[in-house]
Amino acid sequence: MDDIQRKYVIPGDVITTGPYRAEENVHLFGDKIIATSIGISEVFDSGVRVIPLTGRYLPRIDDFVIGIVKSHTSLSWELDINSCYAGILPASDVFGRDFDPKVDQLTSRLKTGDLVAARIANSDRSRDPLITISDRDLGKIEEGELIKIPPSKVPRLIGKRGSMIQTIENATKAIITIGQNGYVVVSSEDPDGLLKALDAIKMVEEQAHVPNLTERIQEMLGSNSE
Amino acid sequence: MTSAIIDDLKKKKITALLKDGQRIDGRALDEPRQITIDTGVIPKAEGSARVRLGDTEVVCGIKIQPDKPFPDLGDRGIFICTAEIMPLADPTVETGPPGEEVIELARVVDRGIRESGMIDLTQLVLQKNKTVIGIFVDNSVTDYDGNLFDACSYASVASILSCKIPKWEMKDDAPIKVDGQVIDPPITTLPVSVTMARIGDQILVDPNADEWGCMDARITITTNSAGNICAIQKGGTDGFTQEQLVKCGQISIATGAKIREIIKKVGGS
Amino acid sequence: MGVKKTDIVLLDDKGIRCDGRTIDQPRRIMIKAGVLKNANGSAYIEFGENKILAGVFGPRDVHPKHLANTDRGILRCRYHMQPYSVSERKNPAPSRREIEISKVIKEALEPAVMLENFPRTVVDVFIEILQADGGSRCAALDAAAVALADAGIPMRDMVSACAAGKVADTIVLDINNEEDQEGQADMPVALMPNLGKITLIQLDGVLTPQEYEKCIDTAVSGCKLVYEVQKNALRDKFFGDSAQ
């Protein structure tokens, strides 16, 4: 029941002409709607947009992301979240509202190099995005291995209703935490399981556009079992 | 310096006037500012000129001295043209090694004159493959009001036209200067550089500092005495259509011819 | 220009050039997108004997901070030749020629790159000339544009570059090294093919007004040929076998 016309585009490709609204990743030139990113163009209702297949992570409110602490001031930490801008985690988010920079040392909770599971609290282009870790499933990541994939591949790694990620977790007994920003943490008590999981993630990244990928991953994981 | 901020109201005024084909200082679109050329201003140099193009001012000096030829080019003299912007020319100019803008300026001015073949370098050989005459043209921008490309070019050309080359004689493989004797430079053509700015759909000749600060793109085209084009450099953060480029070519030939008449009057100091 | 060292026939009476090409035939062009692991975007090009690598980082934080623009991202570009890229070893320090070419390439890409949505950031374009032949700045630009698209930098259009020139009184497409040294004019041109805007044009050499127009036409047709190669390079990487 697809009323959407899709095609592969690169920057400069004319997607269509006519009275359409220019949505994400396109621009208007005269009456032509032109792609500005490599991706899949969609013409729907009265609008045209392109879903990009490449590019850095663009923060959106409530996105779950994994960050790496880069540095800190006396009032906040700066996190690498694979975006054009660093993510800012205010000290008050961790220490509470009565945070006192003279008493509460930031490095006692998080230091440079720490991995953090976080959520985007606020994002507008005029300031660096604000991060929060004050929910139950957020906070410092104590164990696991970090692997980076392009943010555009994250939906493929998750799969329809989580099918791909569940396939990999079940076959390898690993726990995989996927940030929308393309940073992924894999942990497992079984070192072989860990390696298999990392291989599987790499394979998804490299073959994201190949059909029947879930079956091929299953085969690959099955054939490697003892 | 081209990144100096032009206030928004001025920008709006410039664009509004241009919609009616008018410019902020009342000039026609293809009209350059008044060009004033004085030669022989630095008597110690072998050639010199001070040029005022509107309020842009450039002092150019030529030093001529014997030199070793470039490898593989032992049958011709040396011509090197440089340009630098002095810190007193504008509050935003910094001291220190030249930035990309100044490097581009120097190279474009040099190429315009070199590619035209203005100086017949084969006439400047004292001893083939060993000793030749080097003509060093150095431009110093002393006041900035836009369009340094043309100001430096006119100053260089005027200096070259009015310079006197000392006479050297070779004695035991060393060049000895013969006092009191000079020769005129071997000139084959008179290159004229015309720089145009595109603001919106309009092409303007010789942009002043305000126009330079809000132009979309610029192009410098040098023509020779025969009306042929010998050097081009496009600059600025936007582009030109093919039709606009053809038009710029035509303007550079027509306006260049008029400016050539002004520069021609310079001859001996 | 140089003293003739050999008796190269630049154009024979059958219209064949010194390397066997006809007057409107470009040299062999090959482009591969996404060749580096660490750069956000990259491309490798072989254009005639030019071998050039381009890498893009960004948008990312600007250092030093005072260079940042609070309204929009900035573009930085470095064209750099390796010491072994030319017959006589080139000093690794940036020369004035490389600095000028870096500026000219940056200004050829700026009209295409859309950095309004990335204030206080920089997009860095690094171009390394591994082996140089005539027309290296055009080839460098062709690789840089592909690398920018590969990195996901939003662009109004691609930028495609190719040079034309005059050799033996004839306008020809894509001049090689010998034609550059011994020929009569060299005009590199870059084009945004869908928007029809020329974003780089330079000329060394003498052209009549008619030759000037013909030279631009010829270079533009070369740019359009290069555009097809750039498109295929990106499609091969991202769309694989399912490219339409």
Side-chain angles (χ1 to χ4, degrees):
Chain A
M1 224 227 65
D2 229 57
D3 274 353
I4 305 177
Q5 304 159 44
R6 291 195 174 87
K7 70 177 173 187
Y8 287 111
V9 289
I10 68 167
D13 279 350
V14 178
I15 301 169
T16 187
T17 56
Y20 287 95
R21 227 174 32 246
E23 304 273 341
E24 298 96 44
N25 301 304
V26 296
H27 78 106
L28 205 52
F29 180 63
D31 67 340
K32 298 188 204 165
I33 312 249
I34 297 183
T36 63
S37 289
I38 301 176
I40 299 172
S41 66
E42 292 187 338
V43 181
F44 58 95
D45 293 346
S46 51
V48 181
R49 67 169 179 206
V50 169
I51 300 170
L53 290 177
T54 179
R56 309 198 79 182
Y57 169 63
L58 289 175
R60 280 170 314 213
I61 294 182
D62 284 341
D63 268 2
F64 173 78
V65 296
I66 293 178
I68 311 168
V69 179
K70 283 201 303 193
S71 65
H72 67 89
T73 65
S74 53
L75 297 175
S76 62
W77 292 271
E78 247 183 44
L79 271 60
D80 164 14
I81 54 169
N82 194 23
S83 181
C84 321
Y85 304 101
I88 304 293
L89 176 61
S92 53
D93 189 81
V94 170
F95 289 104
R97 279 223 203 102
D98 47 355
F99 153 71
D100 180 356
K102 293 198 262 324
V103 172
D104 303 307
Q105 293 271 37
L106 267 69
T107 48
S108 63
R109 298 295 191 91
L110 288 173
K111 55 187 199 322
T112 299
D114 280 348
L115 287 176
V116 172
R119 226 167 257 289
I120 306 284
N122 191 2
S123 174
D124 77 72
R125 290 281 170 71
S126 61
R127 299 178 309 162
D128 292 341
L130 279 175
I131 307 284
T132 176
I133 59 169
S134 61
D135 276 339
R136 224 176 358 178
D137 53 336
L138 303 178
K140 180 170 167 184
I141 297 176
E142 300 289 353
E143 59 173 12
E145 194 164 313
L146 175 72
I147 179 174
K148 300 179 183 178
I149 66 169
S152 55
K153 304 277 163 79
V154 165
R156 198 76 195 81
L157 184 59
I158 296 174
K160 272 207 183 74
R161 285 180 291 259
S163 55
M164 177 68 82
I165 195 62
Q166 275 161 32
T167 304
I168 302 176
E169 282 185 323
N170 291 341
T172 61
K173 305 279 179 279
I175 302 174
I176 303 176
T177 313
I178 307 176
Q180 289 294 321
N181 58 339
Y183 286 177
V184 177
V185 172
V186 184
S187 64
S188 174
E189 282 168 10
D190 172 15
D192 278 333
L194 181 68
L195 286 172
K196 275 176 12 181
L198 291 172
D199 280 342
I201 295 173
K202 239 202 154 355
M203 189 166 159
V204 170
E205 179 194 344
E206 282 159 10
Q207 301 186 29
H209 58 275
V210 174
N212 299 326
L213 186 56
T214 318
E215 280 120 42
R216 294 147 66 94
I217 294 279
Q218 269 168 339
E219 260 180 57
M220 186 270 264
L221 292 171
S223 69
N224 279 344
S225 61
E226 24 325 41
Chain B
M1 231 160 35
T2 54
S3 54
I5 314 278
I6 300 285
D7 70 77
D8 208 47
L9 289 177
K10 192 172 269 182
K11 240 192 235 187
K12 288 201 169 86
K13 183 171 176 194
I14 292 178
T15 4
L17 285 172
L18 278 175
K19 287 206 165 63
D20 294 324
Q22 292 176 3
R23 293 170 77 168
I24 195 170
D25 58 3
R27 283 185 282 154
L29 295 176
D30 63 353
E31 191 186 334
R33 289 167 290 180
Q34 174 161 54
I35 306 172
T36 320
I37 308 179
D38 297 310
T39 55
V41 294
I42 315 278
K44 273 208 171 136
E46 281 71 56
S48 60
R50 175 177 49 231
V51 164
R52 284 217 139 232
L53 181 60
D55 280 333
T56 291
E57 182 177 83
V58 176
V59 176
C60 176
I62 300 188
K63 295 304 287 173
I64 304 182
Q65 52 209 40
D67 208 331
K68 268 207 320 254
F70 287 122
D72 293 347
L73 294 173
D75 62 343
R76 59 197 63 197
I78 291 174
F79 166 73
I80 291 185
C81 182
T82 77
E84 275 200 33
I85 306 177
M86 302 296 112
L88 43 69
D90 187 87
T92 59
V93 177
E94 287 172 10
T95 54
E100 56 173 20
E101 264 189 50
V102 173
I103 289 176
E104 186 193 12
L105 169 65
R107 291 176 60 86
V108 168
V109 174
D110 175 283
R111 275 203 299 268
I113 299 174
R114 180 189 303 279
E115 294 296 327
S116 72
M118 178 184 187
I119 304 176
D120 182 358
L121 297 175
T122 61
Q123 303 289 316
L124 299 178
V125 179
L126 295 174
Q127 200 179 29
K128 186 170 170 186
N129 293 322
K130 288 226 182 95
T131 314
V132 299
I133 295 177
I135 298 189
F136 298 89
V137 180
D138 295 297
N139 289 285
S140 312
V141 176
T142 52
D143 215 350
Y144 173 76
D145 189 21
N147 196 7
L148 300 179
F149 290 100
D150 290 350
C152 289
S153 180
Y154 304 157
S156 306
V157 169
S159 302
I160 295 169
L161 281 179
S162 59
C163 79
K164 298 291 177 208
I165 303 181
K167 189 151 164 37
W168 280 278
E169 273 170 4
M170 297 303 296
K171 283 204 172 89
D172 300 322
D173 277 359
I176 307 291
K177 195 156 155 188
V178 179
D179 279 330
Q181 285 193 35
V182 288
I183 56 172
D184 286 330
I187 305 291
T188 67
T189 188
L190 211 165
V192 175
S193 134
V194 176
T195 298
M196 292 152 275
R198 176 176 75 71
I199 300 181
D201 290 325
Q202 299 283 36
I203 310 279
L204 298 56
V205 164
D206 182 28
N208 62 24
D210 291 333
E211 292 165 333
W212 200 271
C214 54
M215 64 188 178
D216 297 314
R218 61 159 160 93
I219 188 164
T220 300
I221 301 183
T222 304
T223 52
N224 62 17
S225 302
N228 291 327
I229 296 173
C230 50
I232 297 180
Q233 178 91 347
K234 173 256 166 190
T237 59
D238 205 316
F240 292 89
T241 63
Q242 211 168 322
E243 295 71 34
Q244 286 165 344
L245 286 177
V246 171
K247 183 166 177 200
C248 289
Q250 291 162 347
I251 296 174
S252 72
I253 295 170
T255 307
K258 293 192 194 140
I259 296 175
R260 191 169 287 109
E261 292 308 305
I262 299 175
I263 301 182
K264 243 191 213 170
K265 298 203 180 103
V266 161
S269 26
Chain C
M1 306 199 241
V3 174
K4 272 199 186 24
K5 278 190 283 221
T6 61
D7 280 327
I8 313 175
V9 177
L10 291 174
L11 193 65
D12 70 15
D13 43 16
K14 294 199 183 64
I16 301 295
R17 293 150 75 174
C18 62
D19 58 3
R21 287 184 287 150
T22 59
I23 61 176
D24 50 17
Q25 196 182 345
R27 290 166 293 175
R28 172 188 156 269
I29 311 172
M30 182 279 283
I31 304 179
K32 194 153 157 40
V35 293
L36 297 176
K37 171 166 141 358
N38 286 311
N40 297 128
S42 57
Y44 173 71
I45 186 172
E46 290 185 355
F47 198 150
E49 296 302 314
N50 287 298
K51 296 190 201 305
I52 299 172
L53 196 51
V56 168
F57 287 93
R60 59 178 179 174
D61 277 330
V62 192
H63 292 292
K65 282 216 155 87
H66 69 258
L67 292 178
N69 185 320
T70 45
D71 298 323
R72 48 183 297 126
I74 61 173
L75 185 66
R76 273 200 300 227
C77 187
R78 189 177 100 124
Y79 165 105
H80 176 242
M81 294 176 72
Q82 297 301 323
Y84 43 77
S85 61
V86 280
S87 14
E88 244 187 67
R89 179 181 181 274
K90 190 208 156 274
N91 188 316
S95 64
R96 288 165 69 92
R97 175 178 169 274
E98 286 164 294
I99 293 174
E100 184 202 344
I101 294 180
S102 300
K103 176 174 200 273
V104 155
I105 289 181
K106 176 183 67 161
E107 292 179 350
L109 295 169
E110 266 171 327
V113 171
M114 299 168 75
L115 295 179
E116 306 82 58
N117 290 332
F118 301 97
R120 298 172 294 112
T121 67
V122 60
V123 172
D124 276 314
V125 180
F126 296 116
I127 302 169
E128 298 296 339
I129 312 297
L130 306 174
Q131 180 168 280
D133 193 5
S136 69
R137 82 192 61 191
C138 289
L141 203 30
D142 297 326
V146 172
L148 284 166
D150 184 41
I153 310 290
M155 295 168 74
R156 294 191 173 83
D157 200 350
M158 283 301 289
V159 180
S160 313
C162 189
K166 184 163 92 171
V167 152
D169 295 327
T170 317
I171 302 294
V172 299
L173 176 62
D174 183 28
I175 61 176
N176 66 25
N177 209 30
E178 286 73 36
E179 291 170 327
D180 194 4
Q181 312 271 356
E182 312 289 340
Q184 298 159 298
D186 170 23
M187 181 194 273
V189 169
L191 173 73
M192 291 200 291
N194 294 290
L195 303 183
K197 219 178 243 193
I198 290 170
T199 61
L200 183 154
I201 176 168
Q202 294 177 287
L203 169 70
D204 286 343
V206 186
L207 296 176
T208 67
Q210 297 75 21
E211 287 170 340
Y212 166 67
E213 284 187 52
K214 178 132 200 263
C215 212
I216 296 179
D217 258 341
T218 306
V220 164
S221 71
C223 293
K224 292 180 177 163
L225 292 173
V226 176
Y227 177 47
E228 294 302 314
V229 182
Q230 291 172 305
K231 275 202 278 200
N232 288 333
L234 290 169
R235 291 208 175 119
D236 279 346
K237 176 185 169 184
F238 286 93
F239 311 147
D241 300 320
S242 26
Q244 311 148 313

